[in-house]
Amino acid sequence: VKCVNDLAQLYSSISRSKDFVDGYSVVLTNNPADSLDSFDNALVNQLPPVCSKYLFECRESCPDVETLREATKKFLVDVVEKEVILEVWEGDFNERDERNKAIQNADALEPDWLISIDADEVIEDRFTPELFRRLVHNPNPNIRCYNVGWLNHWQTPDLIRVDSPYSNGLCRMQG
């Protein structure tokens, strides 16, 4: 969360996914209060109240990592009303290691399925919890994972990018 828009996207992502999951594993990689000094900081007043309150709590907790962890966990639980496992990443940026840490932590929730969603990824409205549950309860016991394609949107879910490489849509792998 380096700018206000990042928090808006995170909020959209977790708000939309909460009907699909029973719990969250989150790895926070910086203090979201940094966004209060970003190029788009004027947008903080357009955030949902729970988000702007969270940013100011993060600023107050700086540099105490434990207070930041508590503020972030409270924010997430307030938004999703689910169990949340939270890790504050204190190492150098490494997306693969950070994602692996989130997956490791998610294992503590003993999931049947795990969905990995970045903070800027939002499940589309046309993908419903009912469809999701139907997919994960496939009658074929050999089905253990799915490949999911996605469309990259620009500004809204109704404005779909058609420039390369995003215009290829879902491609089938040839075997």
Side-chain angles (χ1 to χ4, degrees), residues 85-134:
I85 294 176
L86 176 75
E87 178 97 16
V88 177
W89 186 263
E90 297 184 70
D92 292 333
F93 174 77
N94 186 316
E95 187 173 357
R96 182 188 65 227
D97 290 347
E98 293 162 13
R99 182 179 304 276
N100 287 344
K101 187 62 175 173
I103 291 169
Q104 239 178 5
N105 291 346
D107 196 44
L109 297 171
E110 299 180 357
D112 292 329
W113 286 81
L114 191 141
I115 304 171
S116 179
I117 304 173
D118 282 346
D120 63 346
E121 297 172 347
V122 180
I123 297 172
E124 293 187 37
D125 292 340
R126 63 185 174 173
F127 190 69
T128 64
E130 294 76 25
L131 175 59
F132 176 71
R133 285 183 181 82
R134 193 175 82 210

Side-chain angles (χ1 to χ4, degrees), residues 24-147:
Y24 288 82
S25 170
V26 176
V27 175
L28 182 66
T29 58
N30 72 310
N31 187 331
D34 295 348
S35 63
L36 292 170
D37 298 319
S38 69
F39 64 94
D40 67 348
N41 65 358
L43 299 175
V44 73
N45 296 326
Q46 295 180 18
L47 289 170
V50 68
C51 292
S52 53
K53 178 182 175 199
Y54 167 61
L55 286 181
F56 291 107
E57 287 176 357
C58 289
R59 177 175 272 173
E60 291 172 13
S61 69
C62 190
D64 182 28
V65 173
E66 190 53 42
T67 307
L68 177 63
R69 178 181 285 117
E70 290 171 19
T72 302
K73 189 161 185 177
K74 181 182 180 322
F75 163 70
L76 292 168
V77 170
D78 285 350
V79 173
V80 298
E81 301 172 348
K82 307 277 182 172
E83 183 174 359
V84 175
I85 294 176
L86 176 75
E87 178 97 16
V88 177
W89 186 263
E90 297 184 70
D92 292 333
F93 174 77
N94 186 316
E95 187 173 357
R96 182 188 65 227
D97 290 347
E98 293 162 13
R99 182 179 304 276
N100 287 344
K101 187 62 175 173
I103 291 169
Q104 239 178 5
N105 291 346
D107 196 44
L109 297 171
E110 299 180 357
D112 292 329
W113 286 81
L114 191 141
I115 304 171
S116 179
I117 304 173
D118 282 346
D120 63 346
E121 297 172 347
V122 180
I123 297 172
E124 293 187 37
D125 292 340
R126 63 185 174 173
F127 190 69
T128 64
E130 294 76 25
L131 175 59
F132 176 71
R133 285 183 181 82
R134 193 175 82 210
L135 289 171
V136 299
H137 292 100
N138 193 303
N140 183 342
N142 293 320
I143 302 294
R144 295 188 163 176
C145 68
Y146 290 93
N147 287 328

